Amino acid sequence: MRVDVVSIFPEYLAPLDLSLVGKARANGTLRLAVHDLRGWTHDVHRTVDDTPYGGGPGMVMRPEPWGEALDALAPAELAPDGVTLPRLLVPSPAGEPFTQAMAHELAAESHLVFACGRYEGIDQRVLDHAATRMRVTEVSLGDYVLFGGEVAVLVILEAVTRLLPGVLGNAGSLDEESHAHGLLEAPMYTKPATWRGHEVPEVLRSGDHGRIARWRRDEALVRTATRRPDLLAALDPASLDKRDRSALDRAGFPPPAGDVAK
Ligand code: JAH
């Protein structure tokens, strides 16, 4: 996968050299380039912002450097595979929520371009014009405001890179992890069996794989009901069988209405 990131603080993206994202870059799985937006300015002060039309506080990123950057990185006539339009991602508190499902979607793309805004954001016409030759998605990591989009890009690229073929190997199972099945995961433990007076639950040391699977499923259900009632409510009621419902009931949660599986 090819990825281009445009920012006025390219050094903010330095962590992408590290850890497993850095390894995916080093072995060619991820062809990532970070670009300084100011390289597409022409005035002596390399200006990237200006005052907002209509008034108000703060500054807005001016369109001209962004237009040149996107012309250079995603020329209209030259998609990498000659067919698919590159995908432009713009982190913004006004974007659509980033989810594990979106991470999977992005991991299947051949070319991503990230535009990191600062200040009050990027002139809207940059996105409107880009949409004539790229697929544009404004994306939010959650309901809070940062100084700019750079940290959001770090998060998104970490979530996407681990889904690229060959990055995880068999050590990490993508279909058993949190959010693959819409539930939070059960707690995990390792040795020693007793630590500072706290014991690992007996069931996990029993060697009874059936009981262990049931215990983990119950923990996942109760955790999800407690911490993320929104996720529980979004489950297909038919994905909960009688034992699931009884686990929720024993913990004092009304199971979602609907047909019971099995
Ligand atoms: C802030 C440009 N949802 C996290 C997030 C993403 C981007 C921004 N803030 C929060 C942001 C200022 C300018 C982007």
Side-chain angles (χ1 to χ4, degrees), residues 160-231:
V160 169
T161 301
R162 61 190 289 286
L163 300 179
L164 297 177
V167 170
L168 269 194
N170 245 0
S173 165
L174 293 179
D175 38 69
E176 283 185 22
E177 69 189 10
S178 231
H179 300 295
H181 41 54
L183 295 176
L184 303 183
E185 295 229 301
M188 301 295 284
Y189 301 87
T190 187
K191 292 173 280 298
T194 305
W195 179 75
R196 298 191 179 185
H198 295 257
E199 302 232 310
V200 172
E202 180 278 327
V203 55
L204 297 179
R205 292 178 285 134
S206 69
D208 181 339
H209 299 294
R211 253 183 90 213
I212 291 170
R214 186 63 250 171
W215 181 85
R216 285 186 167 150
R217 174 89 181 163
D218 291 354
E219 290 291 317
L221 287 162
V222 172
R223 255 192 180 187
T224 305
T226 306
R227 301 177 181 183
R228 294 295 303 277
D230 58 316
L231 291 183

Side-chain angles (χ1 to χ4, degrees), residues 102-188:
M102 193 189 291
H104 279 278
E105 198 185 288
L106 298 182
E109 299 279 358
S110 58
H111 186 195
L112 304 178
V113 178
F114 288 92
C116 298
R118 286 262 148 182
Y119 318 109
E120 303 307 310
I122 303 171
D123 187 304
Q124 182 60 40
R125 293 168 295 177
V126 172
L127 283 69
D128 296 345
H129 181 263
T132 66
R133 54 200 170 74
M134 302 173 82
R135 288 166 299 140
V136 179
T137 306
E138 290 185 73
V139 56
S140 168
L141 297 191
D143 295 334
Y144 45 82
V145 181
L146 303 170
F147 283 132
E150 285 79 4
V151 170
V153 171
L154 293 177
V155 171
I156 293 166
L157 280 180
E158 183 154 324
V160 169
T161 301
R162 61 190 289 286
L163 300 179
L164 297 177
V167 170
L168 269 194
N170 245 0
S173 165
L174 293 179
D175 38 69
E176 283 185 22
E177 69 189 10
S178 231
H179 300 295
H181 41 54
L183 295 176
L184 303 183
E185 295 229 301
M188 301 295 284

